[in-house]
Amino acid sequence: MIYKKYRRLLIFILSALFGLLSSFTIPAWSNSPNPQSLAREGQQSYNIGDLEAAAKLWQAAAEAYQKIGDRERMSKSLINKSQALQDLGLYPKACKTLLEAFDIKNPDCSQTQIEQLYKTLAQQRGSLTLTQAIGLHSLGDVLRRQGLLAKSQEILQLSLSSIPESPQKSAVLLSLGNTERVLGNQIRDRWDYDVVTEIIDRQSLTDALAPYQQAFNYYIQAANIASAPPIPKIQAQLNHFQLLLEMQRWWRDQTNRRIVSWSRFSESQLIQRAKDFVSRLDLQLNQDALTLQNQITPNLATLAPSRAAIYAQINFAESLIQNAQINKVEPLLENALQQARILQDKRAETYTLGYLGKLYLKQGQFSQATKLTQQALILAQEENINGDAREITYLWQSQLGTLLRKQADFKGAIAAYTAAFNTLQSLRSDLNANNQDVQFDFLQEVKPVYLELADLLLQSNLSDDELNSLIVPNPSIKQEKSNTNKPQKRLELARQVIESLQLAELDNFFQDPCSEAANVAVQIDSIDSTAAVIYPIVFPDRLEVILSLSGKSLQEIVIPINEQEINDTLDRLYDYLDNVTINDSARNILSTSNPNPRELKENLQTLLPTFEQIYNWLIRPFETQLNSNQIKNLVFVLNGRLQRVPIAALYDGQNYLIEKYSVALVPSLQLINPQRLEKQQIKVLAAGVSEQIQVQGEFFAALVNVPKELDQIKQTFPASEKLLNRDFTAKTIQKQLKLNFPVVHLATHGLFSSNPQKNFIITGDGQSISINELSTLLKEPGKAVELLVLSACETATGDERAVLGLAGMAVRSGARSTLASLWPVGDASTAKFMGEFYQNLKKPGGKQADALRNAQLSLLESLKLNPPFPELKNLPPHPYYWAPYVLVGNWQ
């Protein structure tokens, strides 16, 4: 998560900029000519960008030194080899190589091995050699890129303490700054909506910058060491500069989002405080950034040609483009290109050509931009022949697609974007498995590739034959044979692209390829003939919705509404429904001990037109087809802000959607196992917490109706097992799951958020179980969990990616489906709802989605007959009471 907006430099550039290029030229070689020769050849290969050859030569040198008993120089060669592997993005291999350098037997880079190495070397603190310190430095970088940030921090601190007066100190401080920067991003990205709102409202610049203060300190120290080589010093300044610009944009976006919300409620004082906050923050960050820029410019000009110098210039050029200083970029990139050619460094040359192409694209010089991008792509593909340059190749394939589209060559654009799409699909598992450090940036960078390709396909008027000639299928997905007409082919391709985006987003969320997709492009025909799958896709200029019906060609409708209007509508819905920072939201009205009926009535009257608007987008265009095909189940594949909409509450002007259809969400049809729940064999592992409980200093309220909820389950399914309070622990869950429970019901506090490590449930012994830990518990070999019910859990407010935590829970846990809620519901109504749900689940022939629908309808009818306030008697029941429950995954 090093960059949000500086993403195109990606893995190889990140490796070069954050690595230890100057540290690894260790000239003190043995007198033995063979290892010395091998080591020098390795350095030469590395200097011209032939990383695979460099790694092999350094490995050979290490083996030769080992034979003559020169342990010190063997370690140096292995450290050099590790740097080459890092630059290739092969972080697990680089980590194992470093452990070899420290004489660890059978290195597997497990946390246990890392911890043991740290303990051993920490005891020798103060007497470590320079080679050991350099090895620790490199290991700290690898651990950061693998997401082990606390370990990276520890290892780098140990390296720093071992080289107090060495020129290497600047490079270690740079790496510490980078690790602290990633930690800062984690803190910032995991702030709840109301935490950010409070910082803006208090106008606290200190709190706004707090996550990055340590990173700033390390960057400043790195740049101020007089004896250090110029490269790490200027890299520290560049990273500091980028971070200032990134923070400025992030806070502007967050502040503007709140100003829009507050404008709906005429909160003039809040709006003025927000404007004052962002104005003061801008002033401070602009001053700091200008000071740094004035230092960077002359420092860059003094660098001798090297790969690190080339990437430093590209890095600065990218920052200047983002900072709207485009007039200063071309001389930097032209100089970098000249240096790359002098050094015969093909990888550096392809990056420089590509970024020159990007510059001309920004300036509207499409012909020149296309020529440069094609040159960059040819070089990247040549590099791919000898090694793995896919992370470079897709950049220029997608950039070429953008350029061809702008020049109205839609056929060429589809071909280019398809090539980029296939490259990304092949990278999917490799990058996710190797590099957690740039995961989120990787997704943000590549998401436009998926959307642009889908956009082009949906607007294409090419024939099937033309499309087939352009599109090389991704070999990881086998296509089912079917007689399709032209729209089916075009739409099917677009749907596959959107499905792939959903998978990539889940992979990114968990920072590994956790979701095992089906190896066949799944059709609705093979799942449920009474279901329709609806794919809404938001483009900048329109909303497109694809409908998939069993035995029918895909259908599409185009709604001429731009992305800003869609987001404004969805934000308005969120503000009135669940925004804890808005006084008039339903959540705040109903959370008071004595809710005001008039406020709740006004809130509902505001919400209903918004729910109707979304209904008009997603459902109304297909009403005739849904009725004529006797559709009973609607399955939604949602992305972006649509993910936090309670779909069951969409309103047609008279009825809610749930009154006509059962509703389910799926992250992707490719993740669905359509097996039905065997009703005769249902037994439930029902666990819950009813007492007030304290976890890590935070108190969670008593859920007094949980015993009733668990008793109802036991009555409905007598073979069930009940675990209440102290009996509900991770160990008891693990023990009971060995007895094969197809349904697991957890009635306890929990949270879904955009932070996978912040997805948790509370157990009766005052502990929390993370989503990863729960996944391990539920994946008992041979004991598949069909349905996971999470009662009393909620999704993080204001968190657009939080529903990924819910969807991911369904996928990651091994359960085929998950039932949970989008916002907290009173435990009394939850107990009643869950009782209804299980009674419906027991009925023969019914589906899980039907059981959910009937339970919601029961709640709706109860609210119609007995509204909570007389003022609501002639209005539909407020969705806040009944609509948060969602079923994710297999709806059968």
Side-chain angles (χ1 to χ4, degrees):
M1 303 168 194
I2 283 180
Y3 304 126
K4 287 272 178 157
K5 300 295 183 183
Y6 296 88
R7 293 170 181 130
R8 285 196 177 272
L9 301 186
L10 281 176
I11 292 169
F12 186 66
I13 293 185
L14 285 169
S15 299
L17 281 175
F18 297 162
L20 305 168
L21 300 182
S22 60
S23 319
F24 286 79
T25 309
I26 302 173
W29 298 107
S30 157
N31 292 327
S32 172
N34 190 35
Q36 182 181 26
S37 174
L38 289 168
R40 284 176 176 162
E41 285 180 43
Q43 188 69 56
Q44 289 165 1
S45 295
Y46 184 88
N47 289 343
I48 63 169
D50 192 348
L51 303 175
E52 289 89 350
K56 288 175 183 175
L57 285 162
W58 275 323
Q59 175 63 37
E63 291 169 1
Y65 280 125
Q66 185 179 32
K67 285 178 182 177
I68 62 173
D70 193 334
R71 176 75 212 170
E72 175 75 4
R73 288 171 175 78
M74 183 190 88
S75 295
K76 291 177 179 179
S77 295
L78 289 172
I79 293 169
N80 281 347
K81 176 192 171 184
S82 171
Q83 184 62 42
L85 293 173
Q86 285 189 60
D87 290 355
L88 288 166
L90 302 173
Y91 302 113
K93 289 182 181 179
C95 188
K96 290 175 185 177
T97 301
L98 285 166
L99 293 189
E100 283 182 54
F102 283 105
D103 204 23
I104 302 291
K105 305 302 180 188
N106 303 314
D108 58 11
C109 230
S110 65
Q111 292 203 44
T112 304
Q113 283 188 345
I114 299 294
E115 184 63 37
Q116 187 56 51
L117 175 67
Y118 174 76
K119 285 181 179 176
T120 301
L121 295 180
Q123 291 170 357
Q124 304 169 29
R125 191 189 300 265
S127 61
L128 296 177
T129 67
L130 181 59
T131 299
Q132 287 175 311
I134 290 172
L136 285 170
H137 179 185
S138 189
L139 181 59
D141 278 347
V142 172
L143 293 174
R144 181 182 65 250
R145 293 183 177 113
Q146 292 185 293
L148 301 172
L149 301 179
K151 287 286 170 239
S152 171
Q153 214 175 19
E154 282 184 349
I155 295 287
L156 290 170
Q157 288 285 4
L158 182 56
S159 174
L160 186 68
S161 68
S162 305
I163 49 172
E165 303 306 323
S166 168
Q168 297 296 332
K169 185 175 180 180
S170 179
V172 181
L173 286 165
L174 166 65
S175 290
L176 273 164
N178 294 333
T179 295
E180 290 292 343
R181 181 175 177 178
V182 181
L183 285 164
N185 281 349
Q186 280 193 354
I187 293 167
R188 183 198 69 184
D189 292 338
R190 292 166 184 178
W191 274 337
D192 290 336
Y193 185 92
D194 52 335
V195 172
V196 176
T197 304
E198 186 187 0
I199 291 172
I200 293 170
D201 186 34
R202 288 190 291 107
Q203 303 182 47
S204 176
L205 303 191
T206 302
D207 288 347
L209 302 177
Y212 299 102
Q213 199 55 58
Q214 194 59 57
F216 291 147
N217 292 340
Y218 282 132
Y219 287 148
I220 292 167
Q221 289 177 54
N224 288 338
I225 293 179
S227 64
I231 285 294
K233 292 170 68 172
I234 200 165
Q235 287 170 352
Q237 291 175 326
L238 286 166
N239 290 358
H240 190 176
F241 183 62
Q242 289 178 340
L243 181 53
L244 292 170
L245 299 180
E246 179 190 314
M247 290 183 66
Q248 188 175 49
R249 282 190 301 276
W250 192 87
W251 277 110
R252 281 177 185 169
D253 290 345
Q254 294 297 320
T255 307
N256 289 336
R257 180 178 173 185
R258 284 152 182 81
I259 287 172
V260 170
S261 289
W262 290 331
S263 297
R264 293 191 184 102
F265 299 90
S266 302
E267 297 278 6
S268 56
Q269 288 186 331
L270 290 173
I271 292 168
Q272 188 56 52
R273 285 207 291 272
K275 289 179 177 177
D276 291 344
F277 165 77
V278 80
S279 176
R280 290 174 54 218
L281 187 66
D282 269 352
L283 180 63
Q284 179 173 326
L285 294 178
N286 280 334
Q287 287 174 343
D288 291 347
L290 183 60
T291 300
L292 272 170
Q293 185 174 333
N294 290 336
Q295 294 169 356
I296 291 167
T297 303
N299 289 346
L300 269 179
T302 63
L303 291 180
S306 68
R307 186 186 310 120
I310 293 166
Y311 290 133
Q313 290 170 88
I314 295 173
N315 189 332
F316 191 41
E318 175 73 355
S319 296
L320 293 175
I321 290 173
Q322 295 293 338
N323 201 32
Q325 299 185 57
I326 205 164
N327 58 313
K328 299 179 180 178
V329 171
E330 189 170 4
L332 274 171
L333 293 177
E334 289 288 359
N335 190 56
L337 180 60
Q338 184 180 0
Q339 290 182 359
R341 286 173 172 166
I342 291 170
L343 295 173
Q344 298 180 2
D345 189 331
K346 297 298 184 184
R347 284 193 176 225
E349 187 177 352
T350 184
Y351 273 120
T352 314
L353 285 167
Y355 274 90
L356 274 168
K358 179 182 178 181
L359 171 65
Y360 287 122
L361 166 60
K362 294 250 179 209
Q363 293 176 326
Q365 300 180 48
F366 299 142
S367 176
Q368 182 67 2
T370 303
K371 179 181 174 183
L372 288 163
T373 304
Q374 286 171 332
Q375 290 176 19
L377 181 55
I378 289 167
L379 269 181
Q381 289 168 333
E382 287 175 0
E383 285 291 288
N384 234 0
I385 294 170
N386 300 319
D388 188 352
R390 288 173 295 168
E391 82 281 359
I392 311 172
T393 306
Y394 97 85
L395 288 174
W396 312 140
Q397 288 168 331
S398 59
Q399 185 164 295
L400 183 60
T402 302
L403 284 159
L404 294 174
R405 181 173 190 174
K406 286 185 176 294
Q407 295 170 86
D409 181 359
F410 300 113
K411 191 173 179 179
I414 289 174
Y417 272 118
T418 301
F421 169 77
N422 283 336
T423 302
L424 286 170
Q425 290 296 92
S426 73
L427 273 170
R428 178 176 167 236
S429 60
D430 293 354
L431 288 187
N432 279 285
N434 280 339
N435 182 20
Q436 296 192 8
D437 192 11
V438 293
Q439 281 294 313
F440 190 65
D441 311 319
F442 173 73
L443 179 70
Q444 292 299 309
E445 179 61 36
V446 305
K447 189 172 183 177
V449 175
Y450 291 91
L451 290 177
E452 287 283 345
L453 179 56
D455 188 8
L456 284 162
L457 289 168
L458 289 170
Q459 295 196 82
S460 168
N461 58 4
L462 299 176
S463 68
D464 279 358
D465 288 341
E466 287 177 302
L467 280 173
N468 285 327
S469 71
L470 294 175
I471 292 175
V472 180
N474 177 17
S476 66
I477 299 292
K478 301 172 187 174
Q479 305 303 317
E480 290 185 344
K481 293 181 180 179
S482 60
N483 295 320
T484 57
N485 55 23
K486 171 187 164 184
Q488 175 71 15
K489 182 65 178 176
R490 177 178 59 87
L491 291 177
E492 185 57 46
L493 288 166
R495 180 174 77 160
Q496 287 174 24
V497 171
I498 294 302
E499 288 260 354
S500 297
L501 173 57
Q502 299 289 106
L503 293 175
E505 190 161 23
L506 269 179
D507 286 351
N508 169 256
F509 181 77
F510 286 106
Q511 301 191 343
D512 69 50
C514 64
S515 41
E516 286 299 320
N519 63 358
V520 174
V522 180
Q523 304 293 337
I524 190 65
D525 309 54
S526 61
I527 299 179
D528 185 355
S529 62
T530 65
V533 185
I534 295 173
Y535 298 81
I537 313 167
V538 180
F539 294 109
D541 61 338
R542 70 195 189 285
L543 171 67
E544 291 225 13
V545 188
I546 297 176
L547 175 69
S548 177
L549 298 171
S550 177
K552 305 286 184 182
S553 297
L554 294 177
Q555 301 172 56
E556 69 174 322
I557 55 106
V558 180
I559 299 166
I561 178 170
N562 65 42
E563 185 175 17
Q564 185 60 53
E565 292 176 90
I566 294 168
N567 286 339
D568 285 347
T569 301
L570 299 178
D571 285 345
R572 184 168 64 249
L573 179 74
Y574 168 69
D575 283 344
Y576 280 95
L577 189 64
D578 195 34
N579 191 338
V580 294
T581 72
I582 300 295
N583 290 332
D584 294 334
S585 71
R587 175 183 281 233
N588 281 335
I589 293 169
L590 290 170
S591 66
T592 60
S593 57
N594 188 22
N596 185 321
R598 180 184 56 79
E599 288 181 350
L600 191 60
K601 179 180 179 180
E602 290 174 356
N603 178 275
L604 178 60
Q605 289 172 327
T606 304
L607 279 170
L608 286 174
T610 307
F611 278 120
E612 187 171 1
Q613 177 65 70
I614 302 169
Y615 181 96
N616 291 340
W617 292 343
L618 305 187
I619 309 298
R620 199 174 297 282
F622 300 119
E623 283 180 326
T624 302
Q625 295 94 314
L626 296 176
N627 292 333
S628 62
N629 286 280
Q630 299 181 318
I631 295 302
K632 298 178 181 177
N633 309 297
L634 297 183
V635 182
F636 292 83
V637 180
L638 303 176
N639 204 284
R641 299 188 195 189
L642 282 165
Q643 291 177 110
R644 69 185 188 199
V645 175
I647 295 293
L650 299 189
Y651 189 64
D652 68 359
Q654 294 182 308
N655 299 104
Y656 289 117
L657 188 66
I658 202 67
E659 295 180 83
K660 294 194 281 186
Y661 305 98
S662 66
V663 172
L665 308 178
V666 295
S668 165
L669 279 189
Q670 292 177 32
L671 297 175
I672 297 301
N673 182 330
Q675 180 178 327
R676 278 209 181 193
L677 187 62
E678 292 293 333
K679 301 302 174 71
Q680 295 84 358
Q681 300 174 10
I682 290 183
K683 60 177 183 174
V684 183
L685 178 57
V689 179
S690 64
E691 303 167 341
Q692 177 180 287
I693 201 160
Q694 183 179 6
V695 180
Q696 295 178 353
E698 184 176 355
F699 283 95
F700 291 86
L703 300 169
V704 295
N705 286 281
V706 163
K708 177 183 176 183
E709 187 175 329
L710 302 188
D711 287 340
Q712 287 175 334
I713 294 171
K714 181 77 172 172
Q715 290 166 12
T716 306
F717 300 105
S720 299
E721 184 68 32
K722 184 175 75 169
L723 301 172
L724 182 63
N725 294 328
R726 293 284 173 181
D727 293 333
F728 170 25
T729 67
K731 285 186 177 179
T732 55
I733 289 284
Q734 186 175 31
K735 180 180 176 182
Q736 290 295 329
L737 282 172
K738 295 181 187 296
L739 303 177
N740 191 14
F741 288 90
V743 179
V744 176
H745 180 103
L746 304 177
T748 180
H749 292 285
L751 182 72
F752 305 110
S753 79
S754 61
N755 171 7
Q757 291 150 6
K758 204 175 172 183
N759 287 291
F760 64 87
I761 59 167
I762 301 299
T763 51
D765 56 351
Q767 301 298 310
S768 62
I769 302 178
S770 71
I771 188 171
N772 289 333
E773 292 165 335
L774 184 61
S775 165
T776 303
L777 290 175
L778 295 178
K779 286 182 176 175
E780 183 68 29
K783 311 287 186 183
V785 175
E786 301 288 339
L787 172 63
L788 173 64
V789 179
L790 296 161
S791 170
C793 297
E794 61 173 301
T795 55
T797 58
D799 187 338
E800 285 164 28
R801 301 182 83 226
V803 183
L804 280 177
L806 177 51
M809 176 69 85
V811 175
R812 185 69 171 222
S813 68
R816 291 195 170 97
S817 49
T818 299
L819 175 62
S821 59
L822 294 174
W823 57 78
V825 186
D827 70 317
S829 61
T830 297
K832 181 182 178 184
F833 170 84
M834 289 299 172
E836 291 282 347
F837 172 75
Y838 282 109
Q839 286 293 336
N840 286 296
L841 193 66
K842 189 176 182 179
K843 294 176 183 176
K847 299 170 182 173
Q848 295 176 52
D850 295 333
L852 171 60
R853 176 178 181 244
N854 290 330
Q856 286 178 303
L857 289 176
S858 175
L859 211 55
L860 269 172
E861 290 304 315
S862 175
L863 288 164
K864 285 179 181 177
L865 292 173
N866 301 292
F869 305 103
E871 288 87 345
L872 303 179
K873 186 171 180 58
N874 297 318
L875 289 169
H878 199 296
Y880 204 85
Y881 289 108
W882 62 268
Y885 305 101
V886 292
L887 181 69
V888 182
N890 181 27
W891 63 93
Q892 293 282 69

